[in-house]
Amino acid sequence: MNQFENNFKIVFGYPIMLLVLMWSVYLLDFSSGKLFYEFGVYPRTIHGLIGVITMPLIHSQDDIKHILSNSLPIGVLLASLIHFYKAISGKVLLIIWIFTGLSTWVIARENYHIGMSGVIYGLVGFLFTSGALRKYKPLMGLSLFVVFLYGSLIWGIFPMETKVSWEGHLSGLVVGVATAIIFRKQGPQSPKFRYEIEKEMGIEPIDYEKIWREAMALEEELQNQTQESEPSNEDTSEGYPPFTYTYHLKKRDDDSGLK
């Protein structure tokens, strides 16, 4: 198995397993006629604390749209979390899962709160905030992608519908943002320039201007020394005038001309 196949199975394997578990619970609840919603979060009661663990896996039997509307977002968001934040994805999901349930248990209305939507809001909050904080282009692109797909979810944190657990949505979003801030220095980071790494290591930056000035001064000094060491072409004799040579041609008496 090569690295690509291994990453592919990890990125998509866990979301698929979660979806299978979620739908298995739904079908079991539907076929048995049992009241699984009682395993949801019921605020400020001891028996309601079990919902902190089980709430995301339970969905309404009255309308299949509840589980359908949660299936695609949780698959996409969890796969994105694992792909971009592989080293910390497990811890992030666990924190969002647990603390979204606890926050809902603290602030929500006295009723059973069920569904994966709180975790979905938590993942949206984490992925968007984390990408913005890290200033890393791939993660910033992921933030924009999340906003494009699920930006309209923001209306779910307001008490606009009585049958919707806006408290769970709000809890998930707040927990997701807080988790992104806590883990901002873990996981993928924006690449650093060389001078930033040297600064962290206590290495003084190279003063290239100073090196250039010293090189120019050395070159000028070498040129001066070379000129001083070159021999002079001028005549260095003292007291003797220069010699002059004069040649004369004399015609022979026999007029025979020059031979």
Side-chain angles (χ1 to χ4, degrees), residues 216-227:
M216 294 300 295
L218 180 59
E219 182 180 1
E220 184 178 356
E221 182 180 352
L222 290 175
Q223 289 178 351
N224 294 335
Q225 292 177 357
T226 302
Q227 292 176 358

Side-chain angles (χ1 to χ4, degrees), residues 58-162:
I58 303 171
H59 292 79
S60 173
Q61 294 299 317
D62 298 333
D63 190 356
I64 194 174
K65 290 181 180 179
H66 185 208
I67 190 171
L68 287 174
S69 62
N70 285 342
S71 296
L72 181 60
I74 191 60
V76 172
L77 293 170
L78 184 55
S80 300
L81 176 69
I82 296 173
H83 177 70
F84 288 98
Y85 299 88
K86 183 177 179 181
I88 61 173
S89 59
K91 291 185 288 186
V92 169
L93 178 61
L94 182 61
I95 289 173
I96 291 175
W97 190 295
I98 298 298
F99 283 91
T100 295
L102 286 175
S103 299
T104 304
W105 184 84
V106 172
I107 69 171
R109 293 162 289 170
E110 293 185 357
N111 207 330
Y112 287 101
H113 297 259
I114 58 176
M116 187 66 73
S117 54
V119 176
I120 291 173
Y121 273 80
L123 292 177
V124 169
F126 175 85
L127 292 174
F128 174 77
T129 306
S130 183
L133 290 176
R134 295 169 191 266
K135 298 180 180 179
Y136 184 28
K137 288 184 178 180
L139 300 182
M140 294 174 71
L142 177 62
S143 296
L144 296 176
F145 174 74
V146 169
V147 171
F148 176 76
L149 288 182
Y150 304 113
S152 61
L153 292 179
I154 191 65
W155 299 110
I157 66 174
F158 300 106
M160 302 176 67
E161 297 184 35
T162 56

